[in-house]
Amino acid sequence: MSQSRLNLIAGCCAQGMKKVQLEMGGKNPMVVTARADIDLAVGVCLNGNFFSTGQRCTASSRRIVDERVQPEFTDRLVAAMGTLRIGDPLDPVTQIDPVVSEVRLSGNLDYVRLAGEEGCEVIGGRHLNRPGSFQAPALFLGARNDLRVAREERRPARSRDR
């Protein structure tokens, strides 16, 4: 999008005091540095990853984690993913809703398979055996820039770079 178009959008929003969030497409990364508060970083990443089941254009689907904190961050992120409540979107305790359709779920599951074939360690991502299009959250460890799962936009799976 051109700068003039962004300025036009920003100006229109500002005139009406509208909230706006713009995204640039792609793998919307989150960076976790060695100085990060790991608990805070895990919480922010969970929200960025899985809010709205990750089915929104502003979902963050890539982690760039300093190698000095990578093991601790990954352990805590995986543990937190395991506590997410998956279920009925009308239930206020639900944190992850169903995938929008069976077709999308099938595509997501194919992508999880592809991540493993490309050499990522895949954590989660399985189809949940319950009525509806439910999938466990997924994390791909060891994603490199030359892999499709690191380049293509696909949700609700997330990757973390080496």
Side-chain angles (χ1 to χ4, degrees), residues 7 26 31 33 42 44 61 73 85 89 95 99 106 111 117 124 130 132 139 142-143 145 150 162:
N7 290 342
V31 177
T33 68
V42 165
V44 169
S61 57
F73 173 81
R85 293 178 300 271
Q95 294 171 293
V99 178
S106 177
Y111 215 65
E117 290 173 359
R130 61 173 78 170
L139 179 65
N145 286 333
R162 287 183 189 208

Side-chain angles (χ1 to χ4, degrees), residues 46 49-50 60-61 63 77-78 81 84 86 96 108-109 111-113 115 121-126 135-141 154-160:
L46 279 179
N49 290 344
F50 303 113
S60 53
S61 57
R63 303 296 128 263
L77 181 62
V78 170
M81 285 169 52
L84 293 173
I86 303 167
I96 296 184
N108 288 352
L109 295 172
Y111 215 65
V112 169
R113 179 188 46 74
E121 177 187 350
V122 177
I123 298 173
R126 73 188 186 290
Q135 179 182 8
L139 179 65
F140 304 156
L141 298 178
R154 189 74 163 151
R155 296 183 172 85
R158 302 291 168 253
S159 64
R160 196 218 30 95

Side-chain angles (χ1 to χ4, degrees), residues 43-57:
V44 169
C45 287
L46 279 179
N47 186 54
N49 290 344
F50 303 113
F51 179 75
S52 295
T53 314
Q55 299 176 116
R56 65 193 202 292
C57 60

Side-chain angles (χ1 to χ4, degrees), residues 32-36 38 41 64-76 160:
V32 179
T33 68
R35 294 180 57 203
I38 299 299
I64 300 171
V65 181
D66 188 299
E67 63 188 10
R68 293 171 286 181
V69 295
Q70 182 273 323
E72 179 184 8
F73 173 81
T74 299
D75 289 347
R76 290 192 194 183
R160 196 218 30 95

